């Protein structure tokens, strides 16, 4: 695994999403990841989601983080660009069926679909 | 003229009349004095050149300015009063602050006790809401906020949005800022938030030399700290000591721009050159010899009480440094030290290495011995205590109160601070968690007694002596008279407050 990965969070930062974020983050760190580009995809790009991410951001003290915000409509384009650029992408969502849809999309992009 | 502007509000862009401790007043609201006079006492205007560049600016801002100058950007650090005309052309505005929203101690205590917003937060708000800045933002100005209080934006998301801050950068920014500014200038997407992890902090050779004078000639000699206290974030970064060459270059910058006195900045000045917690006397002596060869007066930013005790007992190092520092130009020097608690139990839990190389069981004795050493050597400490620490018990706080009694004979100011979560504790929600208990009030009262006992001595004999300081002395005398008047019947007021608290 490379030092730098893309962690994509889609939809509202619910308790489930936050829990998944902490778990993914911990797993990535244990694999030696040193920098995470956290990409938040929201219906309307707004800073409200940062309140949802605050606990996660403050808990981190070691790993480099870049937090980018995107409108949900950009999701496919951004994921495509990241996958084509050879980035390792992990997706999180606390909302179903959004989560399954995004994982399907990501798998399809990774397999060249 | 400049594409990139660095600035901050008046309470930061000031040299506090060359008296760093007066800066503490900027963390409070104006009490007993009209706000303009209060601000004149603690944050007088900074001299500027013809275009508004500040003569002295906060050291951290000077580092960022240096990185951007080295990278070829048209950048300047502009005084807040001269900002407006630069905003018409600038494309990127970089902000820094020690306490943007008055959430750090002691601002948060002032606010909590007086119910009045401290002047630092008010001053920063005025900066952000000025029409020229709002207009520049509408035209597309990019705003990047950083500095030691960057984390506060995560608690003030409404202001982040309202004031149009594009990016918040938390951590040592030398290796990330040029890329961010470049993206901002080229209208490329910016991250909303950047955390600089331990693998991204600059190595020693990547830390630039400041290009212009720093506030009160402050020069950094070390980054990081080996003590691993749980409430502190500095300790997470690798320990790096500047070389003598690096230090001398920055001394020359300050002296060449007319700054003749300065502060040695380190989390623990007496551990300069050390790889652990044992002082290295040769390095410390060489450091002071070097700094004193450029500056007339010097002081320390921080030192640990354990290093003070160890350095003196093992090497007579404090006495030797005193012989180098104290001369015709100065007969004392100041330093900030952390007592944090008088409880051995709490010390073991949250700062087991703070007393090292002495065992944590000795912590109260280490504190008392270090205070005695400082008193004898004309070092005037501003000491901090932390109240409301996680796992703190009534007994812990009473141990702190008892220690305060033992420190009464030693010239010092002791400031109680309510716990603000940093380091391992930084996700704790202190806004709702801190409950002021009776024993906290007892500690605060003893700190006030200690301050009132020593303040006149410090002010008249050391800090503000001489005819040129008479106006400041007079203003502070007025303020202290106000404090004495307001606290004359403090016991009655405390009882009334307790009754109100218990009722609610």
């Amino acid at each position: 695994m490379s030092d730098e990965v893309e962690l994509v969070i889609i939809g509202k930062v619910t308790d489930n999403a936050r829990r998944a974020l902490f778990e993914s983050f911990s797993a990535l760190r244990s694999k030696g990841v040193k920098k995470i580009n956290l990409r938040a995809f929201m219906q309307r790009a707004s800073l409200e989601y940062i309140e949802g991410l605050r606990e996660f951001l403050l808990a981190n003290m070691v790993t480099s983080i870049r937090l980018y915000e995107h409108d949900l409509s950009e999701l496919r384009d951004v994921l495509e660009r990241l996958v084509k650029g050879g980035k390792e992408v992990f997706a999180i969502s606390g909302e179903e069926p959004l989560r399954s849809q995004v994982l399907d999309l990501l798998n399809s992009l990774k397999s060249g679909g | 003229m400049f594409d990139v502007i660095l600035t901050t509000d008046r309470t930061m862009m000031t040299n506090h009349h060359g008296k760093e401790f007066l800066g503490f007043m900027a963390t409070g609201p104006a009490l007993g004095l009209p706000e303009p006079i209060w601000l004149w006492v603690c944050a007088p205007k900074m001299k500027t050149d013809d275009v508004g560049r500040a003569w002295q600016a906060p050291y951290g801002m000077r580092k960022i300015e240096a990185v951007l100058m080295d990278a070829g950007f048209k950048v300047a650090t502009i005084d807040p009063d001269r900002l407006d005309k630069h905003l018409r052309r600038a494309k990127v505005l970089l902000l820094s602050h020690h306490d943007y929203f008055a959430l750090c101690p002691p601002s948060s205590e002032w606010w909590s006790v007086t119910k009045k917003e401290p002047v630092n937060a008010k001053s920063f708000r005025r900066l952000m809401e000025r029409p020229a800045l709002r207009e520049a933002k509408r035209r597309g100005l990019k705003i990047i906020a950083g500095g030691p209080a960057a984390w506060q934006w995560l608690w003030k998301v409404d202001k982040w949005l309202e004031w149009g801050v594009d990016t918040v950068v938390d951590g040592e920014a030398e290796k990330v800022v040029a890329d961010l500014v470049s993206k901002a200038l080229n209208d490329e997407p910016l991250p909303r938030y950047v955390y600089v992890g331990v693998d991204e902090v600059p190595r020693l050779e990547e830390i630039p030399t400041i290009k212009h004078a720093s506030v009160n000639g402050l020069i950094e000699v070390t980054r990081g700290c080996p003590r691993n206290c749980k409430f502190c974030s500095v300790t997470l970064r690798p320990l790096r000591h500047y070389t003598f060459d690096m230090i001398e270059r920055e001394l020359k910058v300050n002296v060449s721009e007319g700054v003749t006195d300065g502060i040695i900045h380190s989390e623990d000045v007496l551990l300069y050159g050390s790889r652990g917690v044992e002082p290295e006397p040769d390095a410390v002596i060489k450091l002071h010899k070097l700094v004193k060869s450029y500056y007339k007066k010097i002081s320390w930013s921080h030192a640990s009480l354990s290093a003070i005790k160890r350095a003196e007992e093992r090497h007579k190092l404090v006495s030797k440094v005193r012989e180098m520092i104290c001369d015709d130009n100065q007969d004392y020097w100041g330093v900030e030290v952390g007592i944090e608690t008088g409880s051995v139990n709490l010390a073991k839990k949250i700062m087991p290495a703070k007393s090292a190389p002495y065992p944590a069981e000795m912590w109260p004795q280490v504190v008392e011995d270090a205070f005695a050493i400082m008193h004898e050597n004309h070092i005037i400490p501003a000491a901090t205590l932390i109240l409301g620490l996680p796992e703190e018990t009534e007994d812990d706080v009473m141990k702190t109160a008892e220690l305060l009694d033992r420190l009464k004979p030693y010239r010092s100011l002791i400031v109680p601070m309510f716990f603000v979560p940093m380091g391992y504790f930084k996700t704790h929600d202190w806004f709702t968690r801190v409950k002021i208990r009776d024993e906290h009030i007892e500690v605060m009262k003893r700190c006030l007694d200690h301050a009132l006992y020593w303040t006149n001595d410090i002010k008249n004999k050391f800090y503000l002596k001489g005819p040129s300081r008479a106006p400041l002395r007079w203003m502070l005398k007025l303020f202290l008279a106000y404090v004495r008047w307001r606290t004359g019947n403090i016991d009655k007021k405390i009882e009334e407050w307790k009754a109100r608290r218990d009722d609610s």
Side-chain angles (χ1 to χ4, degrees):
Chain A
M1 181 169 280
S2 67
D3 283 358
E4 183 175 342
V5 300
E6 306 286 328
L7 192 52
V8 173
I9 182 160
I10 303 113
K12 283 185 183 169
V13 187
T14 59
D15 287 347
N16 279 345
R18 205 163 23 243
R19 200 161 31 245
L21 190 56
F22 272 105
E23 283 166 9
S24 300
F25 184 71
S26 173
L28 291 169
R29 271 197 57 197
S30 68
K31 289 175 185 165
V33 170
K34 291 173 179 169
K35 184 176 175 185
I36 291 179
N37 295 314
L38 183 61
R39 297 182 182 276
F41 286 84
M42 304 292 135
Q43 282 289 1
R44 284 174 293 125
S46 132
L47 283 173
E48 283 173 24
Y49 71 90
I50 289 188
E51 292 194 341
L53 292 174
R54 178 168 54 214
E55 190 186 346
F56 166 75
L57 295 172
L58 287 171
N60 168 56
M61 291 177 291
V62 177
T63 308
S64 290
I65 291 181
R66 303 286 185 278
L67 169 65
Y68 293 91
E69 68 180 21
H70 301 275
D71 194 86
L72 202 51
S73 63
E74 299 174 83
L75 180 62
R76 188 183 176 90
D77 290 346
V78 174
L79 287 183
E80 198 165 6
R81 180 163 49 81
L82 294 175
V83 171
K84 280 186 177 169
K87 306 281 187 188
E88 287 186 78
V89 185
F90 300 86
I92 287 168
S93 178
E95 296 176 67
E96 286 291 2
L98 202 52
R99 184 176 164 276
S100 313
Q101 290 166 359
V102 172
L103 288 176
D104 288 348
L105 171 62
L106 195 54
N107 286 334
S108 146
L109 289 169
K110 283 178 180 172
S111 62
Chain B
M1 187 190 233
F2 302 109
D3 294 329
V4 184
I5 300 293
L6 291 108
T7 198
T8 186
D9 76 278
R10 172 59 63 222
T11 61
M12 293 285 298
M13 196 73 86
T14 176
N15 68 355
H16 318 289
H17 302 276
K19 300 289 177 185
E20 199 69 19
F21 282 1
L22 288 179
F24 275 111
M25 286 177 71
T27 65
L31 296 172
L33 296 171
E35 189 169 305
I37 296 178
W38 183 273
L39 280 171
W40 173 79
V41 172
C42 64
K45 291 189 176 193
M46 176 56 66
K47 277 198 299 187
T48 65
D49 67 5
D50 291 345
V51 297
R53 282 178 289 208
W55 171 39
Q56 300 172 22
Y59 183 83
M61 295 178 72
R62 288 299 195 208
K63 284 291 193 199
I64 297 302
E65 178 188 62
V67 170
L68 295 175
M69 287 174 82
D70 288 342
F73 294 101
K74 289 182 184 170
V75 57
T77 303
I78 300 293
D79 184 84
D81 285 355
R82 305 289 297 276
L83 187 62
D84 290 7
K85 72 171 182 181
H86 292 284
L87 288 173
R88 286 181 216 130
R89 189 188 179 283
K91 293 168 185 158
V92 184
L93 179 68
L94 302 179
L95 301 168
S96 180
H97 212 288
H98 284 176
D99 201 0
Y100 287 108
F101 300 104
L103 300 182
C104 282
S107 312
S108 46
E109 278 85 50
W110 280 109
W111 202 337
S112 154
V113 170
T114 65
K115 309 295 177 205
K116 290 179 180 172
E117 187 181 16
V119 294
N120 53 1
K122 283 174 87 172
S123 172
F124 179 66
R125 178 156 41 81
R126 282 197 293 270
L127 171 74
M128 295 307 287
E129 292 179 351
R130 66 166 64 187
L133 181 48
R134 296 296 91 216
E135 178 54 34
K137 187 65 207 170
R138 278 191 286 276
R139 279 200 307 270
L141 178 78
K142 299 283 172 52
I143 302 177
I144 301 174
W151 59 273
Q152 294 185 358
W153 291 95
L154 290 168
W155 294 98
K156 292 286 177 182
V157 175
D158 54 338
K159 293 296 173 195
W160 189 340
L161 186 62
E162 181 187 332
W163 291 336
V165 172
D166 293 275
T167 302
V168 171
V169 183
D170 190 354
E172 294 180 28
E174 279 98 339
K175 286 173 73 175
V176 304
V177 71
D179 178 55
L180 290 171
V181 167
S182 175
K183 284 190 165 101
L185 288 172
N186 294 317
D187 275 332
E188 291 173 33
L190 284 167
R192 270 299 197 183
Y193 170 84
V194 173
Y195 184 82
V196 182
V198 290
D199 292 298
E200 258 187 321
V201 300
R203 295 190 305 274
L204 199 58
E205 59 273 23
E206 293 171 319
I207 298 175
T209 301
I210 58 172
K211 311 285 189 204
H212 295 291
S214 54
V215 166
N216 290 329
L218 184 143
I219 48 146
E220 186 173 55
V221 299
T222 302
R223 282 192 193 182
C225 173
R227 294 193 184 273
N228 281 313
C229 298
K230 285 192 175 175
F231 50 80
C232 181
S233 54
V234 174
T235 200
L236 301 164
R237 301 176 205 147
L239 188 65
R240 287 148 292 166
H241 298 294
Y242 282 35
T243 64
F244 290 117
D245 280 349
M246 292 170 78
I247 294 166
E248 187 162 22
R249 283 201 294 273
E250 298 205 330
L251 289 166
K252 283 179 176 168
V253 168
N254 275 313
V255 171
S256 71
E257 296 197 349
V259 179
T260 56
D261 303 336
I263 301 165
I264 301 175
H265 184 277
S266 165
E267 299 308 321
D268 198 340
V269 171
L270 285 170
L271 290 187
Y272 174 73
S274 165
R275 299 317 304 174
V277 292
E278 282 289 352
E280 287 288 333
D282 291 346
V284 173
I285 285 171
K286 199 171 170 193
L287 170 71
H288 285 83
K289 198 171 174 185
L290 173 65
V291 178
K292 195 68 183 182
S293 71
Y294 283 89
Y295 287 158
K296 288 181 185 164
K297 296 180 193 171
I298 65 178
S299 57
W300 294 345
S301 66
H302 306 85
S304 71
L305 296 165
S306 41
I308 289 168
K309 177 175 160 71
R310 188 68 159 190
E312 185 64 6
E313 288 181 351
R314 273 256 168 124
H315 313 285
K316 291 281 172 208
L317 189 54
V318 178
S319 305
K320 287 176 188 167
V321 168
R322 180 194 173 185
E323 284 167 18
M324 296 161 71
I325 291 182
C326 292
D327 56 12
D328 292 343
N329 295 309
Q330 73 181 107
D331 54 9
Y332 80 100
W333 75 101
V335 63
E336 206 177 314
V337 297
I339 300 171
E340 322 313 4
T341 179
S343 158
V344 167
N345 282 338
L346 198 54
K348 280 181 179 172
K349 286 179 195 162
I350 60 159
M351 47 183 217
K354 198 168 173 82
S355 60
Y358 304 100
E361 286 78 5
M362 276 186 70
W363 178 241
Q365 192 59 50
V366 169
V367 174
E368 192 178 350
D369 290 350
F371 266 66
I373 291 165
M374 289 189 285
H375 187 87
E376 284 161 17
N377 285 283
H378 285 203
I379 303 173
I380 303 179
T384 54
L385 292 173
I386 307 180
L387 300 176
L389 279 158
E391 302 181 57
E392 174 197 85
T393 64
E394 181 181 343
D395 184 59
D396 292 327
V397 185
M398 290 319 294
K399 289 281 192 303
T400 301
E402 287 163 19
L403 179 60
L404 281 169
D405 291 341
R406 288 161 61 187
L407 299 180
K408 191 76 181 250
Y410 308 117
R411 189 184 300 107
S412 55
L413 294 174
I414 302 175
V415 184
M417 296 179 169
F418 274 94
F419 169 69
V420 168
M422 289 178 169
Y424 290 99
F425 296 134
K426 70 180 179 172
T427 54
H428 285 232
D429 184 351
W430 77 101
F431 297 116
T432 54
R433 206 188 59 78
V434 169
K435 300 281 183 282
I436 300 178
R437 304 195 302 262
D438 292 357
E439 58 271 22
H440 291 146
I441 292 170
E442 188 54 42
V443 166
M444 290 194 278
K445 216 173 113 211
R446 288 187 203 193
C447 288
L448 179 67
D449 288 345
H450 187 92
L452 292 174
Y453 180 77
W454 279 111
T455 304
N456 274 333
D457 178 83
I458 294 169
K459 175 169 65 72
N460 298 333
K461 290 188 194 161
F462 295 94
Y463 205 52
L464 295 172
K465 69 177 185 181
S468 66
R469 299 293 182 191
L472 265 179
R473 219 166 36 238
W474 188 80
M475 285 296 172
L476 284 173
K477 192 176 172 184
L478 204 64
F479 171 63
L480 287 168
Y482 172 82
V483 172
R484 283 201 173 85
W485 172 66
R486 291 287 298 194
T487 57
N489 57 349
I490 195 163
D491 289 331
K492 187 176 164 219
K493 285 182 179 170
I494 288 171
E495 290 310 315
E496 287 169 3
W497 176 84
K498 282 182 190 170
R500 280 200 305 276
R501 180 197 59 186
D502 295 342
D503 286 346
S504 64

